[in-house]
Amino acid sequence: MPGTVLLLAASPVGKGCLVDAASVLPVLAAVPPAVLAGADTANVVELADPLEPQAVLTRLRAAAAAPGPLTVFVTGQLQLDRRQRLPHLALARTTPATVRYTAFPWHWFRDELRLRAPGATTLVLDLHADAETWEHLRTAPLDCGRNNAVYGRVAPPPGRRTVAVPTYMKAVATILRSGHRPALEQLHQQAWGRLAGEGEADGIVLATHAPVTGDPHASITAAVQSGRHAEADALAARWQQAAVQARGPASDDALHWAEVRADLAMFAGDAERSCRTWLAVAGTRLAAGQAPDEPAVEAAVDRAHHQWGKIRDKARARELGPALAELRGRVPGRREGALGHVQRQLRQLQTQG
Protein backbone atom coordinates (compact mmCIF):
# COMPACT_ATOMS: atom_id res chain seq x y z
CA MET A 1 0.00 0.00 0.00
CA PRO A 2 1.55 3.37 -0.97
CA GLY A 3 2.46 5.84 1.73
CA THR A 4 1.56 9.51 1.87
CA VAL A 5 3.89 12.33 2.87
CA LEU A 6 2.84 15.90 3.68
CA LEU A 7 5.68 18.44 3.78
CA LEU A 8 4.51 21.65 5.45
CA ALA A 9 6.82 24.62 6.01
CA ALA A 10 5.30 27.91 7.16
CA SER A 11 6.35 31.16 8.78
CA PRO A 12 5.15 34.77 8.64
CA VAL A 13 6.48 37.21 6.10
CA GLY A 14 8.33 40.19 7.57
CA LYS A 15 9.59 41.07 11.01
CA GLY A 16 7.38 38.53 12.79
CA CYS A 17 9.35 35.65 11.27
CA LEU A 18 11.26 33.55 13.84
CA VAL A 19 12.48 30.71 11.60
CA ASP A 20 13.35 30.31 7.93
CA ALA A 21 11.00 27.35 7.65
CA ALA A 22 10.92 26.98 3.86
CA SER A 23 14.71 26.61 3.70
CA VAL A 24 14.37 22.96 4.69
CA LEU A 25 12.09 22.00 1.80
CA PRO A 26 14.81 21.62 -0.88
CA VAL A 27 16.68 19.25 1.44
CA LEU A 28 13.55 17.18 2.15
CA ALA A 29 12.54 17.23 -1.52
CA ALA A 30 15.90 15.64 -2.40
CA VAL A 31 14.95 12.55 -0.36
CA PRO A 32 13.29 9.78 -2.42
CA PRO A 33 9.54 9.71 -1.67
CA ALA A 34 9.61 6.07 -0.60
CA VAL A 35 12.29 6.87 1.99
CA LEU A 36 10.32 9.84 3.32
CA ALA A 37 7.27 7.61 3.70
CA GLY A 38 8.95 4.41 4.87
CA ALA A 39 6.96 2.56 2.18
CA ASP A 40 7.67 0.95 -1.19
CA THR A 41 5.98 3.85 -3.02
CA ALA A 42 4.64 7.19 -1.84
CA ASN A 43 2.73 10.30 -2.81
CA VAL A 44 4.30 13.55 -1.63
CA VAL A 45 2.39 16.81 -1.12
CA GLU A 46 4.41 19.96 -0.46
CA LEU A 47 3.05 23.15 1.11
CA ALA A 48 5.56 26.01 1.14
CA ASP A 49 4.52 29.15 3.07
CA PRO A 50 0.77 28.67 2.54
CA LEU A 51 -1.42 31.75 2.92
CA GLU A 52 -4.75 30.36 4.14
CA PRO A 53 -5.51 27.96 7.02
CA GLN A 54 -8.37 26.44 5.00
CA ALA A 55 -5.92 25.51 2.21
CA VAL A 56 -3.75 23.65 4.73
CA LEU A 57 -6.83 21.97 6.20
CA THR A 58 -7.92 20.74 2.76
CA ARG A 59 -4.51 19.13 2.09
CA LEU A 60 -4.31 17.64 5.57
CA ARG A 61 -7.82 16.20 5.27
CA ALA A 62 -6.97 14.58 1.94
CA ALA A 63 -3.75 13.12 3.35
CA ALA A 64 -5.59 11.79 6.43
CA ALA A 65 -8.09 9.99 4.17
CA ALA A 66 -5.34 8.03 2.37
CA PRO A 67 -5.37 4.38 3.49
CA GLY A 68 -1.61 3.75 3.77
CA PRO A 69 0.97 5.07 6.24
CA LEU A 70 1.08 8.86 6.60
CA THR A 71 4.11 10.93 7.58
CA VAL A 72 3.64 14.66 8.21
CA PHE A 73 6.77 16.83 8.34
CA VAL A 74 6.02 20.26 9.85
CA THR A 75 8.52 23.11 10.11
CA GLY A 76 7.49 26.52 11.37
CA GLN A 77 6.63 28.66 14.35
CA LEU A 78 3.96 28.51 17.03
CA GLN A 79 1.95 31.45 18.32
CA LEU A 80 -1.01 31.77 20.68
CA ASP A 81 -4.23 33.46 19.68
CA ARG A 82 -5.08 36.29 22.04
CA ARG A 83 -8.67 35.17 22.60
CA GLN A 84 -8.28 31.54 23.67
CA ARG A 85 -4.51 31.24 24.11
CA LEU A 86 -4.34 28.12 21.95
CA PRO A 87 -1.25 27.19 19.89
CA HIS A 88 -1.44 27.89 16.15
CA LEU A 89 1.03 27.26 13.34
CA ALA A 90 1.75 30.73 11.96
CA LEU A 91 1.27 31.13 8.20
CA ALA A 92 2.59 33.72 5.75
CA ARG A 93 0.04 36.44 6.67
CA THR A 94 0.00 35.82 10.42
CA THR A 95 0.63 38.68 12.84
CA PRO A 96 0.22 38.59 16.65
CA ALA A 97 -3.15 40.36 16.31
CA THR A 98 -4.54 38.06 13.58
CA VAL A 99 -3.47 34.59 14.78
CA ARG A 100 -7.06 33.34 15.22
CA TYR A 101 -7.94 34.11 11.59
CA THR A 102 -4.71 33.73 9.62
CA ALA A 103 -2.85 30.87 11.38
CA PHE A 104 -3.54 27.11 11.43
CA PRO A 105 -4.97 25.94 14.79
CA TRP A 106 -2.74 23.16 16.09
CA HIS A 107 -5.73 21.15 17.35
CA TRP A 108 -6.84 20.71 13.72
CA PHE A 109 -3.98 18.21 13.34
CA ARG A 110 -5.44 16.15 16.17
CA ASP A 111 -9.00 16.47 14.88
CA GLU A 112 -8.24 15.48 11.28
CA LEU A 113 -6.03 12.53 12.23
CA ARG A 114 -8.27 11.12 14.96
CA LEU A 115 -9.84 8.32 12.89
CA ARG A 116 -6.58 6.95 11.52
CA ALA A 117 -5.50 3.60 12.91
CA PRO A 118 -2.94 3.61 15.73
CA GLY A 119 0.58 3.36 14.34
CA ALA A 120 -0.42 4.56 10.84
CA THR A 121 0.55 8.21 11.35
CA THR A 122 3.82 9.91 12.26
CA LEU A 123 4.47 13.61 12.80
CA VAL A 124 8.05 14.88 12.51
CA LEU A 125 8.20 18.42 13.90
CA ASP A 126 10.72 21.24 14.04
CA LEU A 127 8.93 24.16 15.64
CA HIS A 128 10.03 27.46 17.12
CA ALA A 129 7.86 29.29 19.65
CA ASP A 130 7.61 32.98 20.44
CA ALA A 131 8.19 33.98 24.07
CA GLU A 132 4.51 33.81 25.09
CA THR A 133 3.95 30.41 23.48
CA TRP A 134 7.19 29.06 24.92
CA GLU A 135 6.00 29.85 28.45
CA HIS A 136 2.60 28.31 27.70
CA LEU A 137 4.08 25.03 26.39
CA ARG A 138 6.14 24.53 29.53
CA THR A 139 2.91 23.76 31.41
CA ALA A 140 0.56 22.70 28.57
CA PRO A 141 2.23 20.15 26.24
CA LEU A 142 1.46 20.22 22.53
CA ASP A 143 -1.43 17.82 21.82
CA CYS A 144 -0.87 15.85 18.60
CA GLY A 145 -3.56 13.20 19.09
CA ARG A 146 -3.73 9.90 20.93
CA ASN A 147 -3.02 7.57 17.96
CA ASN A 148 0.03 9.24 16.42
CA ALA A 149 3.78 8.86 16.81
CA VAL A 150 5.48 12.25 17.27
CA TYR A 151 9.19 13.07 17.00
CA GLY A 152 11.00 16.39 16.95
CA ARG A 153 11.44 19.49 19.06
CA VAL A 154 9.98 22.85 19.98
CA ALA A 155 12.76 25.43 20.24
CA PRO A 156 12.65 28.60 22.34
CA PRO A 157 12.50 31.98 20.58
CA PRO A 158 15.76 32.94 18.85
CA GLY A 159 17.71 36.02 19.85
CA ARG A 160 16.46 39.51 19.05
CA ARG A 161 16.42 40.30 15.31
CA THR A 162 17.55 36.74 14.59
CA VAL A 163 15.84 34.32 12.22
CA ALA A 164 16.49 30.74 13.29
CA VAL A 165 17.36 27.80 11.03
CA PRO A 166 15.33 24.54 11.29
CA THR A 167 18.41 22.54 12.24
CA TYR A 168 16.53 19.50 13.57
CA MET A 169 14.57 18.99 10.36
CA LYS A 170 17.69 19.58 8.24
CA ALA A 171 19.47 16.90 10.27
CA VAL A 172 16.55 14.49 9.66
CA ALA A 173 16.58 15.26 5.93
CA THR A 174 20.35 14.84 5.70
CA ILE A 175 20.17 11.41 7.33
CA LEU A 176 17.34 10.33 5.00
CA ARG A 177 19.22 11.50 1.89
CA SER A 178 21.46 8.48 2.34
CA GLY A 179 18.54 6.50 0.90
CA HIS A 180 17.87 4.55 4.10
CA ARG A 181 15.14 5.31 6.66
CA PRO A 182 16.03 3.93 10.09
CA ALA A 183 13.35 3.21 12.67
CA LEU A 184 11.77 6.52 13.58
CA GLU A 185 13.00 6.51 17.16
CA GLN A 186 16.51 5.84 15.89
CA LEU A 187 16.16 8.57 13.24
CA HIS A 188 15.13 11.03 15.96
CA GLN A 189 18.05 10.03 18.19
CA GLN A 190 20.54 10.40 15.32
CA ALA A 191 19.18 13.85 14.40
CA TRP A 192 19.20 14.99 18.02
CA GLY A 193 22.76 13.66 18.39
CA ARG A 194 23.88 15.81 15.44
CA LEU A 195 22.32 18.88 17.05
CA ALA A 196 24.01 18.10 20.36
CA GLY A 197 27.34 17.80 18.57
CA GLU A 198 26.82 21.27 17.12
CA GLY A 199 25.68 22.76 20.44
CA GLU A 200 22.12 23.32 19.21
CA ALA A 201 20.19 20.65 21.13
CA ASP A 202 17.90 23.04 22.98
CA GLY A 203 14.15 23.14 23.47
CA ILE A 204 11.39 20.70 24.32
CA VAL A 205 12.07 17.21 22.96
CA LEU A 206 9.09 15.47 21.34
CA ALA A 207 9.29 11.67 21.28
CA THR A 208 5.96 9.86 21.57
CA HIS A 209 5.64 6.31 20.27
CA ALA A 210 2.53 5.15 18.42
CA PRO A 211 0.14 3.09 20.60
CA VAL A 212 -0.19 -0.62 20.13
CA THR A 213 -2.87 -1.79 17.69
CA GLY A 214 -5.30 -3.35 20.16
CA ASP A 215 -7.26 -0.10 19.95
CA PRO A 216 -10.84 -0.19 18.59
CA HIS A 217 -9.99 2.63 16.20
CA ALA A 218 -7.90 0.19 14.15
CA SER A 219 -10.88 -2.16 13.67
CA ILE A 220 -13.17 0.75 12.83
CA THR A 221 -10.73 2.15 10.28
CA ALA A 222 -10.30 -1.27 8.65
CA ALA A 223 -14.10 -1.65 8.38
CA VAL A 224 -14.45 1.79 6.75
CA GLN A 225 -11.67 1.09 4.26
CA SER A 226 -13.40 -2.18 3.32
CA GLY A 227 -16.75 -0.42 2.83
CA ARG A 228 -18.33 -2.06 5.91
CA HIS A 229 -19.82 1.20 7.17
CA ALA A 230 -22.64 -0.31 9.24
CA GLU A 231 -20.17 -2.58 11.04
CA ALA A 232 -17.88 0.40 11.79
CA ASP A 233 -20.77 2.42 13.22
CA ALA A 234 -22.04 -0.49 15.31
CA LEU A 235 -18.60 -0.93 16.87
CA ALA A 236 -18.29 2.80 17.61
CA ALA A 237 -21.84 2.80 19.02
CA ARG A 238 -20.92 0.09 21.52
CA TRP A 239 -17.93 2.10 22.73
CA GLN A 240 -20.06 5.25 22.93
CA GLN A 241 -22.74 3.45 24.97
CA ALA A 242 -20.13 2.07 27.36
CA ALA A 243 -18.62 5.54 27.82
CA VAL A 244 -22.05 7.11 28.46
CA GLN A 245 -22.89 4.47 31.05
CA ALA A 246 -19.51 4.73 32.78
CA ARG A 247 -18.90 8.48 32.69
CA GLY A 248 -21.99 10.27 31.35
CA PRO A 249 -22.97 11.72 27.93
CA ALA A 250 -20.89 14.88 28.36
CA SER A 251 -17.68 13.03 29.28
CA ASP A 252 -14.66 13.33 27.02
CA ASP A 253 -14.85 9.65 26.04
CA ALA A 254 -18.57 9.72 25.21
CA LEU A 255 -18.18 12.88 23.13
CA HIS A 256 -15.15 11.42 21.37
CA TRP A 257 -17.17 8.40 20.26
CA ALA A 258 -20.09 10.60 19.21
CA GLU A 259 -17.66 12.57 17.02
CA VAL A 260 -16.25 9.34 15.59
CA ARG A 261 -19.80 8.28 14.66
CA ALA A 262 -20.42 11.65 12.99
CA ASP A 263 -17.29 11.12 10.89
CA LEU A 264 -18.35 7.56 10.09
CA ALA A 265 -21.72 8.81 8.82
CA MET A 266 -19.85 11.25 6.58
CA PHE A 267 -17.65 8.45 5.19
CA ALA A 268 -20.78 6.39 4.54
CA GLY A 269 -22.26 9.27 2.54
CA ASP A 270 -25.06 9.87 5.07
CA ALA A 271 -24.85 13.67 5.37
CA GLU A 272 -28.13 13.93 7.30
CA ARG A 273 -27.02 11.55 10.06
CA SER A 274 -23.61 13.20 10.22
CA CYS A 275 -25.23 16.65 10.53
CA ARG A 276 -27.63 15.48 13.25
CA THR A 277 -24.80 13.92 15.22
CA TRP A 278 -22.61 17.02 15.02
CA LEU A 279 -25.56 19.18 16.10
CA ALA A 280 -26.07 16.88 19.09
CA VAL A 281 -22.37 17.02 19.99
CA ALA A 282 -22.37 20.82 19.85
CA GLY A 283 -25.54 21.01 21.95
CA THR A 284 -24.11 18.63 24.56
CA ARG A 285 -20.88 20.60 24.82
CA LEU A 286 -22.71 23.93 25.20
CA ALA A 287 -25.14 22.46 27.76
CA ALA A 288 -22.14 21.19 29.74
CA GLY A 289 -20.87 24.78 30.03
CA GLN A 290 -18.28 24.85 27.28
CA ALA A 291 -17.84 28.29 25.73
CA PRO A 292 -19.09 29.02 22.19
CA ASP A 293 -15.52 29.72 21.04
CA GLU A 294 -14.07 26.50 22.47
CA PRO A 295 -12.32 24.67 19.60
CA ALA A 296 -14.40 21.51 20.05
CA VAL A 297 -17.65 23.49 20.00
CA GLU A 298 -16.63 25.49 16.92
CA ALA A 299 -15.52 22.32 15.14
CA ALA A 300 -18.82 20.55 15.85
CA VAL A 301 -20.91 23.44 14.49
CA ASP A 302 -18.61 23.93 11.48
CA ARG A 303 -18.92 20.25 10.58
CA ALA A 304 -22.69 20.23 11.11
CA HIS A 305 -22.88 23.22 8.75
CA HIS A 306 -20.70 21.50 6.16
CA GLN A 307 -22.73 18.29 6.25
CA TRP A 308 -26.04 20.18 6.15
CA GLY A 309 -24.96 21.65 2.83
CA LYS A 310 -24.57 18.11 1.45
CA ILE A 311 -28.07 16.83 2.37
CA ARG A 312 -29.86 16.07 -0.89
CA ASP A 313 -33.34 15.57 0.62
CA LYS A 314 -34.71 19.12 0.82
CA ALA A 315 -37.33 18.23 3.42
CA ARG A 316 -34.61 16.85 5.75
CA ALA A 317 -32.46 19.93 5.15
CA ARG A 318 -35.43 22.20 5.95
CA GLU A 319 -36.03 20.23 9.14
CA LEU A 320 -32.45 20.61 10.39
CA GLY A 321 -31.93 24.20 9.17
CA PRO A 322 -33.53 26.04 12.14
CA ALA A 323 -31.48 24.08 14.69
CA LEU A 324 -28.31 24.86 12.76
CA ALA A 325 -29.25 28.54 12.44
CA GLU A 326 -29.88 28.73 16.20
CA LEU A 327 -26.49 27.18 16.90
CA ARG A 328 -24.78 29.44 14.36
CA GLY A 329 -26.21 32.44 16.20
CA ARG A 330 -24.44 31.25 19.34
CA VAL A 331 -21.32 29.85 17.65
CA PRO A 332 -20.36 32.10 14.70
CA GLY A 333 -17.01 30.32 14.18
CA ARG A 334 -13.96 31.66 12.41
CA ARG A 335 -15.41 32.26 8.93
CA GLU A 336 -17.30 35.48 8.42
CA GLY A 337 -20.89 35.26 7.22
CA ALA A 338 -21.57 31.68 8.35
CA LEU A 339 -24.90 32.55 10.02
CA GLY A 340 -26.00 34.59 7.00
CA HIS A 341 -25.18 31.63 4.75
CA VAL A 342 -27.43 29.29 6.77
CA GLN A 343 -30.26 31.82 6.81
CA ARG A 344 -30.08 32.40 3.04
CA GLN A 345 -29.98 28.67 2.29
CA LEU A 346 -32.89 28.03 4.64
CA ARG A 347 -35.02 30.76 3.02
CA GLN A 348 -34.23 29.26 -0.37
CA LEU A 349 -35.27 25.77 0.82
CA GLN A 350 -38.51 27.12 2.28
CA THR A 351 -39.30 28.96 -0.96
CA GLN A 352 -38.80 25.73 -2.90
CA GLY A 353 -41.46 24.21 -0.68
Side-chain angles (χ1 to χ4, degrees), residues 218-249:
S219 301
I220 291 169
T221 302
V224 170
Q225 290 172 354
S226 301
R228 305 192 312 275
H229 297 288
E231 179 184 326
D233 183 65
L235 181 55
R238 288 200 295 273
W239 282 88
Q240 181 187 11
Q241 184 178 17
V244 168
Q245 290 173 345
R247 288 173 283 280

Side-chain angles (χ1 to χ4, degrees), residues 75-164:
T75 307
Q77 70 187 61
L78 296 174
Q79 294 179 225
L80 298 179
D81 71 297
R82 290 177 174 175
R83 187 168 170 181
Q84 296 173 289
R85 295 183 56 77
L86 292 172
H88 287 59
L89 182 70
L91 303 183
R93 295 173 177 165
T94 301
T95 66
T98 65
V99 169
R100 178 172 166 80
Y101 302 101
T102 62
F104 187 82
W106 190 263
H107 60 266
W108 285 5
F109 283 108
R110 178 197 66 212
D111 292 347
E112 294 304 319
L113 299 172
R114 108 179 118 225
L115 258 189
R116 289 183 57 81
T121 308
T122 302
L123 291 93
V124 181
L125 311 175
D126 191 351
L127 304 168
H128 284 68
D130 63 11
E132 184 181 24
T133 311
W134 178 250
E135 287 302 315
H136 173 83
L137 291 176
R138 293 174 72 175
T139 56
L142 206 58
D143 182 0
C144 299
R146 65 173 87 184
N147 289 341
N148 310 315
V150 183
Y151 296 96
R153 61 98 178 252
V154 180
R160 190 175 175 85
R161 294 196 179 93
T162 301
V163 176

